[in-house]
Amino acid sequence: SRQEFLALNTRKGTAYGSLAVLAVAWGGGGLWSEAAWNIAVILLVLYAFIGTAVLHVLLSSMQAKRFLLPAFYLLLLVLPQTLLPVALVGIGDAWFNLRKQLIN
């Protein structure tokens, strides 16, 4: 449901584990590195969903700029390169609780 989507988040431990997976993917070699890259793709999708939820809350709270939310989703569809910055917002939400910081 809408409320569940907007409430998506992770804990700091999950974010630290995600960074450890990325470190193994970049620094390792062979089978471990390959497995870590495959896990990193799944984590990218997870944090992209969380980042989308955070940005949805932020953009929908801006009453004067009603076009920003549809423009954001259109940008996600047209430019897939925007998924990485959105995922970074998602991982940042684990440490900084961005929804609470940005709305209040």
Side-chain angles (χ1 to χ4, degrees):
S1 75
R2 181 178 192 270
Q3 295 295 356
E4 291 170 339
F5 170 69
L6 296 179
L8 283 175
N9 63 4
T10 60
R11 296 190 169 118
K12 287 181 183 179
T14 307
Y16 286 125
S18 301
L19 293 178
V21 167
L22 282 176
V24 170
W26 277 323
L31 186 61
W32 288 106
S33 178
E34 185 70 28
W37 276 117
N38 290 331
I39 293 169
V41 170
I42 295 169
L43 292 171
L44 174 74
V45 172
L46 168 70
Y47 287 115
F49 272 108
I50 294 170
T52 302
V54 170
L55 292 171
H56 182 100
V57 169
L58 172 68
L59 295 174
S60 64
S61 69
M62 301 174 131
Q63 296 299 328
K65 308 282 188 201
R66 298 294 288 175
F67 68 92
L68 287 178
L69 189 59
F72 167 67
Y73 283 110
L74 183 64
L75 186 67
L76 283 176
L77 287 172
V78 173
L79 289 173
Q81 295 87 347
T82 57
L83 283 179
L84 184 60
V86 171
L88 291 174
V89 169
I91 201 167
D93 184 54
W95 285 300
F96 304 116
N97 196 5
L98 296 174
R99 279 170 266 214
K100 185 176 181 182
Q101 297 292 328
L102 296 172
I103 302 305
N104 293 334

